[in-house]
Amino acid sequence: LTLHLSSDSNTRLENHANELIARTGILIFVWLLASIPWLLNINSVLEYFVGVFNPCVEECLNLYQPEKWSELRWIISGFLGLMTITPLINRQIWVFSRPGLTHSERRMLRLVLILSPIIFLLSAYITIIEVIPILYDIGHQIHDDYGFVAKYDAVSLIYFAIMLLWVQTLVIISSTVMVSSGMTGNLDASNANW
């Protein structure tokens, strides 16, 4: 038994899958292209962040795993490339999803696609530029108070920041979806348990 509403198009599932695969392929290609300029300038980007995260007045940063530094260059270039094409990703999500959504679901998706990147940029700035350097300074001060000679791994300092950004991304997207769903009437007491 198949249920079709009068507003539904009679398009086969295979056509939707092909469209999704085509859109995803285009986004991956553009993501790779957008990551190239970041990769070419990654040394200055990493130099900036190492300077921001360095908790010491004197030299205390080391590179214990050079291969991890190379890996880090690729990861950060990819992450920055992904952030660069976020408007295109959001547009592709909107164009693909819009025909199958109700009016209230469209409003919810529009809110999510607009608010999530804005909230992410604000929280990433606060976390990376304000919070993490303060935490690293506090940790370094504790080491100094105990009389330790601090030597920090530059890769670990940056990996911790990347991990926080990924966690923030997931929390922000899921929170934005829940809040937007509630604001548009798509989430209430009757369906909140799923």
Side-chain angles (χ1 to χ4, degrees):
L1 178 67
T2 304
L3 176 65
H4 286 286
L5 301 176
S6 62
S7 61
D8 287 347
S9 66
N10 196 9
T11 308
R12 296 172 49 121
L13 180 61
E14 182 180 319
N15 293 344
H16 291 295
N18 288 341
E19 181 184 359
L20 178 63
I21 290 168
R23 289 181 187 280
T24 304
I26 289 168
L27 286 175
I28 290 171
F29 178 72
V30 173
W31 179 21
L32 291 172
L33 289 179
S35 298
I36 291 171
W38 288 110
L39 185 61
L40 295 175
N41 295 303
I42 197 66
N43 290 336
S44 58
V45 172
L46 287 174
E47 183 180 319
Y48 171 77
F49 284 115
V50 166
V52 168
F53 296 154
N54 187 359
C56 307
V57 176
E58 68 284 346
E59 282 297 316
C60 66
L61 290 180
N62 287 320
L63 186 59
Y64 294 113
Q65 300 171 327
E67 73 280 359
K68 290 289 187 185
W69 186 257
S70 296
E71 178 184 312
L72 187 66
R73 295 166 47 95
W74 288 96
I75 290 172
I76 292 178
S77 298
F79 185 77
L80 292 172
L82 187 65
M83 294 301 106
T84 302
I85 67 163
T86 297
L88 180 61
I89 292 171
N90 288 350
R91 175 75 177 145
Q92 293 298 318
I93 290 170
W94 176 254
V95 170
F96 179 77
S97 302
R98 188 172 184 262
L101 300 176
T102 64
H103 179 68
S104 65
E105 290 170 338
R106 286 183 193 144
R107 284 190 356 225
M108 181 207 64
L109 183 60
R110 192 178 312 123
L111 277 172
V112 169
L113 295 177
I114 291 170
L115 292 178
S116 291
I118 293 170
I119 294 170
F120 173 76
L121 288 174
L122 290 173
S123 66
Y125 176 81
I126 291 168
T127 301
I128 297 296
I129 302 301
E130 301 294 330
V131 175
I132 290 178
I134 291 171
L135 293 176
Y136 286 163
D137 286 341
I138 291 170
H140 180 67
Q141 187 60 44
I142 291 170
H143 292 151
D144 280 349
D145 290 346
Y146 282 114
F148 295 137
V149 176
K151 296 290 182 189
Y152 302 109
D153 182 20
V155 173
S156 295
L157 295 177
I158 295 175
Y159 263 120
F160 180 72
I162 292 173
M163 180 200 60
L164 282 180
L165 287 179
W166 280 116
V167 170
Q168 279 183 334
T169 301
L170 296 175
V171 169
I172 288 168
I173 290 172
S174 59
S175 299
T176 307
V177 167
M178 288 190 338
V179 169
S180 298
S181 295
M183 290 172 56
T184 58
N186 290 306
L187 181 65
D188 55 26
S190 67
N191 61 4
N193 63 350
W194 53 263

